[in-house]
C-alpha cells in the first residue's frame, strides 16, 4: 500500500532522527545577518512592509493583491528526495507553472534536495547566497529551531497575514507547531490525520496457516501465546522483528506514546495536581516493566539474537514469509496494511495513547530563507498550493493519463513506468488528494468507509498537554550531545531485550544524569512554564 508506506517511512525517519535528539549545533557557514530585502510587490514595499502585515483589517487598497503586470518572479523551491529524482520532474514543473503563472505571476523552479544531507545543503546554499526562496524541512522538528537560531530562515508572520488566507484556513490550529518564541518561522504541511499509534503487526497468511485469530489478541499474554505457536511450528522463522525498519526498539510498542518535546527519553506529563511537568521515561516503573517483557521475549527466542545489528526491515521480511510479526510505530485508522499482496493486521494494547504532539505536526515544515529575494512570492506560492486541488494532486500523483489513472472504486493507481513517483504529501492540502486504490482496499473497497475511519480516528486522538510547545535547546546543546552519546550505548539493546534491564536501566539513568540530564529537564520545564503562562494568560 503505497500511501501507507510513504507515511510509514516519514514517521520512522522522524523517530530515527529524533533519537539523535535534535542536533543543536548551528548549520555551518550560515550567514548571520537579517533579511534586508526591499523588493516591491504592489506598493513599492516588500510584503512584510506593505502596510502592517499583522493587521488583517488593513485598508490599503493594494493589501493582499498580486501585481500581475510586473515581470514574473522565478521562485526556487527546494523539496526532499531519496535516491534519484523522478525522471518527469520537468513535466511536473511545466504543468505547475501553467498554474502559478496564471494565478500569482510566478515561475517555479523545483529543486530536489537529498533528504539525508538536507541541513548541509541548505547551509551551503545560504552561505554562498545561492538562490533559495522556499525550503521544505523534513523532519521539521530536527531542523526548524536550528535554522531559526542560525538565521537561516526568517519569521513569516507578516507575510502569512497578508498572503496566507488559504494557509491559515487549511492549517488552522496546527500553525503554532511552526512557531518559536512566539514568532512563526515555518508552515506545517496539512496531513489527513496527524498522529499514528504504536503496537504490533501480524502476518495474516501465517496466522491463518497456524489457526491464530489475530482479532482475539488483546493482551501481552495473548501476544506471547501467538508467538509460541509460531516458534513451535516455524522454528527457523523470525517470530517478531524490531521494528519496521532497523534501529528502533520493540519496547515502544509496549510503552504508551509520550510527548518528548523533541528530546529523546524525556516526556511531558500531567501531574496529579493538574500541573504540566517533564520527566525521564527510563525512571518510570512502566518503562522497567515493558523492558522486562521484551527481555523475556528475547530469552525465549521470539526476538532474533542479532536484532541490534539487523539491516533488513520487518515489513519486507513479513512479505517474504520470513517473519511473523513486527513492532509498529505507524498504526493508522485502517488498522492494517496490504503490501505486495500480503496483509499485515495491526493491534494496539489497552495502554496505547492516541495523542497528537507538536512533533507529529512538524514532520514536514516549509520555511522562507533569510536570503530569499521575494518572501512575499514564497508565501503566495504556499498559499496557492494550499487552496489548489490541482497542485496537491500534481505533486503526489503527477499527470492523469501519463502517471496515474482512476480505478473503479474512485481511487487511483500509478501507471507503471510513468516517470513520476513521489509519496510524501509535502505541498498543498492532503484533504484535496485523490486516494490510492490500495488505501481504499484496506477500508473494504469503499472510499466513504476510509474517510469515515480517518474521521473517527482523528476524533479519538487527543492533543498532548504541551501541544504547540517548541523547545529551544540552544542553551543546553552540550548536555544534549553528552546525554545522546550515553543513550546510544543503551537504548537499542534495552529496547530489544538484548541486555538485563534491571541492571542496565539504572546504569543508563545514572550516566545520563552525570552527563547533564537534570540541566536539560530544568531548562525544558522553565520554557514549558513560560509557554503555558503565555498560552493561558
Amino acid at each position: 500500500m503505497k500511501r501507507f508506506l510513504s507515511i510509514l517511512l516519514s514517521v520512522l525517519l522522524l523517530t530515527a532522527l529524533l533519537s539523535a535528539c535534535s542536533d543543536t549545533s548551528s548549520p555551518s557557514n550560515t550567514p548571520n545577518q537579517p533579511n534586508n530585502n526591499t523588493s516591491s510587490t504592489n506598493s513599492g514595499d516588500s510584503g512584510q512592509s506593505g502596510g502592517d502585515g499583522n493587521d488583517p483589517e488593513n485598508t490599503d487598497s493594494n493589501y493582499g493583491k498580486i501585481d500581475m503586470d510586473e515581470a514574473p518572479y522565478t521562485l526556487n523551491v527546494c523539496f526532499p528526495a531519496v535516491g534519484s529524482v523522478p525522471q518527469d520532474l520537468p513535466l511536473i514543473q511545466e504543468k505547475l507553472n501553467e498554474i502559478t503563472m496564471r494565478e500569482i505571476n510566478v515561475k517555479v523552479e523545483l529543486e530536489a534536495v537529498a533528504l539525508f544531507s538536507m541541513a548541509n545543503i541548505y547551509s551551503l546554499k545560504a552561505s554562498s547566497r545561492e538562490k533559495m526562496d522556499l525550503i521544505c524541512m523534513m523532519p521539521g522538528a530536527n531542523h526548524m529551531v536550528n535554522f531559526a537560531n542560525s538565521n537561516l530562515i526568517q519569521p513569516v508572520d507578516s507575510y502569512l497575514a497578508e498572503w496566507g488566507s488559504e494557509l491559515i484556513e487549511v492549517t488552522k490550529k496546527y500553525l503554532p507547531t511552526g512557531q518559536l518564541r512566539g514568532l512563526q518561522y515555518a508552515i506545517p504541511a496539512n496531513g489527513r490525520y496527524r498522529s499514528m499509534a504504536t503496537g504490533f503487526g501480524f502476518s495474516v497468511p501465517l496466522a491463518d496457516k497456524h489457526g491464530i485469530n489475530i482479532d482475539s489478541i488483546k493482551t501481552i499474554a495473548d501476544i506471547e501465546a501467538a508467538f509460541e505457536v509460531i516458534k513451535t511450528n516455524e522454528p527457523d522463522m523470525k517470530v517478531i522483528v524490531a521494528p519496521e525498519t532497523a534501529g528502533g526498539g520493540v519496547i515502544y510498542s509496549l510503552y504508551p506514546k509520550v510527548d518528548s518535546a523533541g528530546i529523546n527519553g524525556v516526556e511531558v506529563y500531567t501531574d496529579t495536581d493538574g500541573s504540566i511537568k517533564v520527566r525521564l521515561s527510563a525512571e518510570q516503573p512502566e518503562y522497567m516493566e515493558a523492558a522486562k517483557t521484551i527481555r523475556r521475549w528475547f530469552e525465549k527466542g521470539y526476538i532474533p539474537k542479532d536484532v541490534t545489528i539487523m539491516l533488513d526491515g520487518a515489513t519486507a521480511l513479513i512479505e517474504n514469509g520470513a517473519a511473523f510479526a513486527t513492532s509498529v510505530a505507524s498504526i493508522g485508522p485502517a488498522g492494517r496494511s496490504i503490501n505486495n499482496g500480503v496483509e499485515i493486521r495491526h493491534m494496539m494494547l489497552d495502554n496505547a495513547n492516541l495523542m497528537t504532539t507538536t512533533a507529529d505536526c512538524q514532520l514536514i515544515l516549509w520555511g522562507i530563507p533569510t536570503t530569499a529575494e521575494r518572501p512575499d512570492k514564497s508565501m503566495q506560492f504556499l498559499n496557492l498550493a494550499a487552496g489548489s486541488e490541482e497542485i496537491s494532486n500534481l505533486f503526489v500523483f503527477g499527470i492523469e493519463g501519463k502517471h496515474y489513472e482512476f480505478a473503479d472504486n474512485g481511487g487511483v493507481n500509478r501507471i507503471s513506468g510513468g516517470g513520476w513517483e513521489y509519496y510524501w504529501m509535502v505541498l498543498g492540502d492532503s484533504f484535496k488528494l485523490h486516494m490510492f486504490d490500495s488505501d481504499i482496499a484496506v477500508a473494504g473497497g469503499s472510499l466513504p468507509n476510509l474517510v469515515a475511519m480517518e474521521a473517527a480516528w482523528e476524533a479519538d486522538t487527543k492533543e498532548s498537554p504541551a501541544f504547540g510547545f517548541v523547545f529551544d535547546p540552544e542553551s543546553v546543546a552540550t548536555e544534549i550531545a553528552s546525554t545522546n552519546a550515553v543513550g546510544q550505548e543503551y537504548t537499542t539493546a534495552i529496547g530489544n531485550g538484548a541486555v538485563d534491564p534491571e541492571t542496565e536501566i539504572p546504569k543508563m539513568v545514572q550516566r545520563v544524569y552525570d552527563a547533564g540530564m537534570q540541566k536539560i529537564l530544568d531548562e525544558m520545564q522553565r520554557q514549558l512554564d513560560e509557554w503555558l503562562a503565555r498560552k493561558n494568560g
Side-chain angles (χ1 to χ4, degrees), residues 272 283 321:
T272 53
E283 291 187 288

Side-chain angles (χ1 to χ4, degrees), residues 240-261:
I240 180 171
V241 189
E244 292 158 292
T245 59
V250 180
I251 193 170
Y252 301 110
S253 289
L254 299 180
Y255 195 77
K257 180 180 179 179
V258 300
D259 185 347
S260 69

Side-chain angles (χ1 to χ4, degrees), residues 168 209 250 324 361 388 417:
I168 292 171
K209 177 181 177 181
V250 180
F324 170 63
C361 301
S388 172

Side-chain angles (χ1 to χ4, degrees), residues 3 5-18 78-82 113-120 122 135-145 147 153 186-189 359-367 395 422-427:
R3 181 170 172 266
L5 286 175
S6 68
I7 299 172
L8 165 63
L9 176 59
S10 300
V11 172
L12 290 172
L13 285 169
L14 173 63
T15 303
L17 290 169
L18 282 179
C78 298
F79 69 97
V82 174
V113 172
L115 179 67
F116 301 113
S117 304
M118 179 176 286
N120 288 336
Y122 288 158
I135 62 173
C136 185
M137 297 171 280
M138 182 177 172
N142 273 56
H143 299 303
M144 184 188 76
V145 173
F147 289 176
I153 57 175
I187 306 295
D360 289 328
C361 301
Q362 292 178 319
L363 178 59
I364 297 169
L365 295 175
W366 286 96
F395 212 79
Y422 196 80
Y423 296 107
W424 295 323
M425 181 60 209
V426 298
L427 189 63

Side-chain angles (χ1 to χ4, degrees), residues 41 98 101 125 186 196 215 277 282 377 432 459 469:
T41 55
E98 292 177 9
M101 286 292 290
K125 285 171 69 69
M196 289 185 165
D215 292 335
K277 296 182 179 179
K377 289 299 181 185
K432 297 179 176 68
F469 170 63

Side-chain angles (χ1 to χ4, degrees), residues 409-477:
N409 62 9
V412 301
N413 290 313
R414 295 192 187 277
I415 296 174
S416 179
W420 180 258
E421 289 193 8
Y422 196 80
Y423 296 107
W424 295 323
M425 181 60 209
V426 298
L427 189 63
D429 178 11
S430 66
F431 285 92
K432 297 179 176 68
L433 277 181
H434 306 313
M435 293 285 198
F436 276 113
D437 175 38
S438 54
D439 282 354
I440 298 173
V442 300
S446 167
L447 178 57
N449 281 355
L450 179 58
V451 173
M453 291 168 70
E454 290 182 345
W457 181 272
E458 194 73 2
D460 290 340
T461 302
K462 63 183 179 181
E463 289 183 356
S464 161
F467 181 77
F469 170 63
V470 177
F471 177 56
D472 183 351
E474 190 172 36
S475 65
V476 287

